[in-house]
């Protein structure tokens, strides 16, 4: 069972809230009883043991609560909005983070080509700390084809790029930088990523309607 929130609310996402514990640690709590904090923490420790930049975690014995290292710095999105990080550079950083992640062997799968996948790597899930980028929110993690991970990131950015939002132009620039180098993204992986995005219960009908145009944009940039 989750414990009482230990401190002030620091932030909220589509599915979870983050609370302060102290200067060193925060608690991320899934709303509505979702998530598997133990499994997520195990994956984070696995990739961290292979040198991948993620926060440290502590076990809680709860499916909904994950205690992790408190990071200092803005999200990648906040850094871009503040002008401290160029949008194209942010896209290149995302590409590098995907490439580096896919050098980490799977934790459970016996398939030799399977890798750890984040499946939600976008500018709000990267913290720009004094020590460098750190990847957060591993609640969607799976093991499998790296192409699906690239496609998932591309779909998030493309969806923003065709939204008509004030950040649309920046999202398109970031997407172009993400896709600038060769990647394992394939048409079947893109179809799968789009399908998953459409079935995400946090998506509004308006957001789902953008996926056709988003897919077309990705294919044009590739």
């Amino acid at each position: 069972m989750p414990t009482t929130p230990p401190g002030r609310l620091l932030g909220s996402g589509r599915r979870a809230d983050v609370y302060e514990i102290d200067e060193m640690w925060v608690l991320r709590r899934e709303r509505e009883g979702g998530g598997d904090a133990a499994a997520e923490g195990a994956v984070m420790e696995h990739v961290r043991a292979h040198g991948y930049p993620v926060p440290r975690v502590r076990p809680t014995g709860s499916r909904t609560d994950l205690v992790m290292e408190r990071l200092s710095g803005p999200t990648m999105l906040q850094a871009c909005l503040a002008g401290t990080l160029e949008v194209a550079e942010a896209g290149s950083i995302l590409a590098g983070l995907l490439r580096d992640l896919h050098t980490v062997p799977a934790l459970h799968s016996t398939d030799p080509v399977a890798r750890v996948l984040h499946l939600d790597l976008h500018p709000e899930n990267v913290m720009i700390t004094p020590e460098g980028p750190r990847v957060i929110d591993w609640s969607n993690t799976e093991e499998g084809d790296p192409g699906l991970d690239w496609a998932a990131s591309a779909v998030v950015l493309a969806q923003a790029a065709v939204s008509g939002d004030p950040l649309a132009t920046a999202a398109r620039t970031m997407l172009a930088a993400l896709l600038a180098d060769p990647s394992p993204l394939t048409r079947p992986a893109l179809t799968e990523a789009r399908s998953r995005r459409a079935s995400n219960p946090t998506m509004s009908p308006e957001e789902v309607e953008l996926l056709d145009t988003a897919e077309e944009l990705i294919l044009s940039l590739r």
Side-chain angles (χ1 to χ4, degrees):
M1 294 291 292
T3 59
T4 301
R8 66 188 176 97
L9 181 67
L10 298 176
S12 297
R14 288 179 181 264
R15 299 183 306 188
D17 303 305
V18 178
Y19 298 93
E20 179 181 57
I21 295 178
D22 55 33
E23 293 182 356
M24 297 293 296
W25 301 94
V26 297
L27 181 145
R28 198 207 67 211
R29 173 166 294 162
E30 292 277 347
R31 292 191 292 273
E32 301 178 0
D36 188 344
E40 184 176 349
V43 171
M44 293 174 69
E45 284 297 283
H46 173 67
V47 298
R48 184 171 177 270
H50 285 79
Y52 197 73
V54 297
R56 292 174 293 152
V57 297
R58 293 192 329 209
T60 65
S62 167
R63 288 186 60 87
T64 60
D65 290 0
L66 180 66
V67 174
M68 58 185 178
E69 178 185 4
R70 186 171 185 170
L71 301 176
S72 174
T75 65
M76 177 179 281
L77 176 60
Q78 291 168 337
C80 288
L81 291 174
T84 58
L85 179 65
E86 293 292 332
V87 172
E89 182 183 358
S92 297
I93 291 172
L94 287 175
L97 288 169
L98 285 167
R99 281 192 292 267
D100 290 346
L101 177 59
H102 300 147
T103 66
V104 178
L107 179 58
H108 301 294
S109 176
T110 58
D111 184 343
V113 301
R115 293 292 183 267
V116 175
L117 311 180
H118 185 279
L119 296 178
D120 200 23
L121 187 56
H122 58 72
E124 291 184 275
N125 283 338
V126 180
M127 301 287 292
I128 306 299
T129 76
E131 293 76 33
R134 296 289 183 271
V135 178
I136 60 172
D137 194 353
W138 292 75
S139 55
N140 290 340
T141 184
E142 295 179 15
E143 297 176 354
D145 173 19
L148 180 59
D149 222 357
W150 283 81
S153 293
V155 167
V156 172
L157 292 176
Q159 193 178 33
V162 300
S163 66
D165 185 272
L167 298 177
T169 299
R172 183 187 179 100
T173 299
M174 199 178 299
L175 175 65
L178 174 75
L179 299 176
D181 295 330
S183 76
L185 192 157
T186 61
R187 187 63 179 267
L190 181 56
T191 299
E192 173 69 13
R194 174 190 163 166
S195 175
R196 291 184 180 217
R197 187 73 171 168
S199 64
N200 187 326
T202 69
M203 290 288 102
S204 69
E206 293 76 17
E207 288 173 314
V208 172
E209 288 179 2
L210 295 172
L211 290 173
D212 279 345
T213 311
E215 183 175 7
E216 291 172 3
L217 176 60
I218 293 168
L219 293 172
S220 70
L221 290 173
R222 285 187 49 82

